[in-house]
Amino acid sequence: MIGTSSNAIHFIIPVRHPDSVVDPASQALRIHQLVQSLKGQTSQNWRATFVVNPGQNLPELSSNFDLQYVDFPANTEARDAANYSEFSRAVDLDRGRRVFAALHRVATGSLVMPTDDDDLFHRDLVSFVESADWDGGWLIDKGYIWRSGSFFLGRMDSFHITCGSSMIFPLDSLLPEGSNEDLDEDFFLELGNHRTLLERLPEDSVIWKRIPFRAAIYRVGHGDSSLSRIRRDFPYRRAGQLNFTWLQSYKRRLKAKFIGHPSERIHSVLFTPRMKRAFLGAE
């Protein structure tokens, strides 16, 4: 492990290959806002690792950040996917490989949070986890959804089912049992898909608690959002493709397993200056 002392949370932020990005300028702004969100934490007992290809455009980073360079190619499998299943598999595989590439940077005793590069966190997330007398994992099951540029946030009470930036793991639960040389694609696919990890929780040794406040924002509505690509290219009406009826059924099954059956309705709230300070730091 590169780290010598544990941190409350070590954020691992996989960034897709530059050639797989639709709008680099928009991506740069989103990454900048994520960096500001992390810098704005009320506790600085955290680290973050960006997993990037050489040449990635990044904002100025403080000493809490480091970089893990990788040589993974552009994700042409996702670009050329003919259906949802192919697209999802390609995205999960790339994300899982990038997350795994940075695990060796996490200090023993730290909690690990795989983080999408477009999401945001409440300024009290790290301080809450740091002050809790708890060695297990955490779920962010309440958060917000935000369409880029909107004046409103949507409250989500099934956040950890929808958003990949919602699970905080003990490091050991993400490490392989055997040699790294023996890892197959299934390992990386699971590591890259938080819903797969949720499904295997009963067989895992991790015990979970929930963050008791709305601790993160799931950003959608931009060109590099996976959700936007799914809705644009893989609509439910196309024969032979995984459709949103199935996705809604899948979501209901996970809700029944972890949080009962809360209302599907999302309530909107104004993204006030006070909330922007809480999630975006000092913009």
Side-chain angles (χ1 to χ4, degrees):
M1 302 297 172
I2 289 180
T4 57
S5 59
S6 64
N7 304 102
I9 302 177
H10 193 129
F11 300 89
I12 294 181
I13 309 164
V15 180
R16 69 190 65 186
H17 190 285
D19 291 345
S20 298
V21 175
V22 174
D23 186 345
S26 176
Q27 182 202 45
L29 175 61
R30 295 190 301 270
I31 291 177
H32 167 76
Q33 290 175 331
L34 169 60
V35 168
Q36 292 301 108
S37 181
L38 294 176
K39 285 182 178 180
Q41 292 292 307
T42 53
S43 168
Q44 293 301 301
N45 185 18
W46 58 270
R47 289 200 64 77
T49 298
F50 278 101
V51 185
V52 296
N53 288 83
Q56 175 65 45
N57 181 20
L58 293 170
E60 182 177 351
L61 302 175
S62 67
S63 60
N64 291 66
F65 293 89
D66 56 28
L67 302 178
Q68 176 65 48
Y69 288 107
V70 296
D71 60 359
F72 302 134
N75 196 346
T76 55
E77 289 80 7
R79 182 197 65 196
D80 299 335
N83 54 56
Y84 173 86
S85 296
E86 290 181 7
F87 174 76
S88 178
R89 179 181 176 84
V91 169
D92 293 346
L93 187 59
D94 184 67
R95 186 177 191 266
R97 285 171 170 162
R98 290 173 184 272
V99 169
F100 182 74
L103 286 181
H104 71 285
R105 292 184 172 270
V106 180
T108 301
S110 296
L111 294 172
V112 183
M113 187 170 194
T115 300
D116 293 335
D117 64 13
D118 56 353
D119 294 329
L120 304 167
F121 299 101
H122 192 280
R123 62 188 174 194
D124 291 332
L125 174 62
V126 174
S127 61
F128 175 82
V129 171
E130 180 183 31
S131 63
D133 184 18
W134 178 245
D135 295 327
W138 293 96
L139 296 177
I140 299 178
D141 68 338
K142 289 180 171 57
Y144 298 99
I145 186 169
W146 180 43
R147 181 173 293 275
S148 289
S150 173
F151 295 108
F152 294 91
L153 301 170
R155 291 177 177 170
M156 297 183 68
D157 290 338
S158 55
F159 189 84
H160 64 301
I161 295 174
T162 305
C163 179
S165 305
S166 59
M167 303 177 71
I168 306 173
F169 301 85
L171 174 61
D172 290 346
S173 69
L174 296 184
L175 296 175
E177 295 182 358
S179 168
N180 290 356
E181 287 73 26
D182 298 330
L183 298 179
D184 58 17
E185 285 192 353
D186 288 342
F187 173 83
F188 297 112
L189 286 168
E190 181 175 276
L191 189 59
N193 188 315
H194 72 287
R195 287 185 293 269
T196 304
L197 291 169
L198 278 172
E199 284 200 314
R200 75 166 172 85
L201 285 181
E203 289 75 44
D204 204 1
S205 59
V206 179
I207 301 175
W208 302 84
K209 287 189 176 182
R210 290 164 169 77
I211 302 293
F213 55 92
R214 297 186 187 276
I217 292 176
Y218 173 41
R219 191 199 304 245
V220 298
H222 57 82
D224 289 300
S225 166
S226 293
L227 183 60
S228 296
R229 169 74 193 279
I230 291 167
R231 288 178 171 173
R232 183 183 71 244
D233 293 350
F234 311 126
Y236 70 91
R237 64 181 178 272
R238 294 185 183 176
Q241 296 181 356
L242 185 62
N243 57 52
F244 282 102
T245 301
W246 185 94
L247 289 175
Q248 289 298 327
S249 173
Y250 181 80
K251 185 175 179 181
R252 284 193 295 270
R253 292 201 307 273
L254 281 177
K255 283 185 175 182
K257 186 173 184 179
F258 293 102
I259 55 175
H261 293 277
S263 171
E264 290 280 351
R265 185 177 180 183
I266 295 177
H267 299 276
S268 295
V269 296
L270 189 64
F271 200 4
T272 63
R274 179 178 180 181
M275 292 187 70
K276 289 180 179 179
R277 289 192 295 272
F279 284 97
L280 289 167
E283 276 287 279

